[in-house]
Amino acid sequence: MDWLGDNQWLGWLGLAIALGAIEVATVDFVFVMLAGGALAGSLAAAFGAPFPAAAIIAAVVGALLVFLVRPLVKAKFTDGITDSGIGSSALVGRTAHVVQAVTEHDGRVKLGGEIWSARIAAGGRVCEAGHEVRVIAIHGATAIVSGEQAIADR
């Protein structure tokens, strides 16, 4: 037990490494900020700070990193405008080829290599077969499309 008291900086360093490993699995920039706090605690302990002081330093630095730095890092590495999801949400924003006239009630489009049922968004114009439209939403198995692209092509 005396060895751990003399080398508590190694405990903080081990905690920082463990938090970094958890961050690799979550990729949410929380655990890496807490790892930064643990590194600050390790540094304080290496310079002779007692455990309570190192713990306070680790907590304060970790909290500052989470609340001040994390939003900046998250904004830099994530795109909040587009949904790069999988499945049907990834189809929003793509163009589709009209295979059967699309009205407010019915129609068919070829989207992502498959035939989808489709409807024109409220207030839109009917799109005849052969035109290109833009998918603005997916509701269940129905693509909601905008015919503005088709009008611009005429």
Side-chain angles (χ1 to χ4, degrees):
M1 213 45 188
D2 189 37
W3 182 87
L4 185 59
D6 293 338
N7 297 299
Q8 70 168 308
W9 66 273
L10 284 174
W12 287 107
L13 185 61
L15 179 62
I17 291 170
L19 290 169
I22 294 170
E23 178 63 36
V24 170
T26 64
V27 193
D28 197 33
F29 303 111
V30 173
F31 290 101
V32 73
M33 299 300 156
L34 297 176
L39 284 175
S42 176
L43 189 62
F47 283 110
F51 179 77
I56 291 171
I57 289 170
V60 168
V61 170
L64 287 174
L65 289 172
V66 166
F67 292 113
L68 298 178
V69 177
R70 180 179 176 263
L72 300 173
V73 172
K74 192 161 178 147
K76 174 78 174 160
F77 288 104
T78 58
D79 183 6
I81 296 171
T82 58
D83 178 13
S84 59
I86 60 172
S88 61
S89 65
L91 299 173
V92 175
R94 293 182 60 181
T95 58
H97 182 76
V98 178
V99 294
Q100 177 187 337
V102 180
T103 66
E104 289 185 4
H105 304 289
D106 192 31
R108 301 286 181 267
V109 294
K110 188 167 189 174
L111 173 62
E114 298 177 342
I115 302 296
W116 284 69
S117 61
R119 291 192 325 243
I120 288 290
R125 296 186 185 177
V126 173
C127 294
E128 298 298 327
H131 286 97
E132 296 290 319
V133 291
R134 182 160 312 277
V135 178
I136 58 173
I138 301 288
H139 293 161
T142 302
I144 308 301
V145 298
S146 171
E148 305 307 318
Q149 181 72 27
I151 295 168
D153 290 342
R154 291 184 186 177

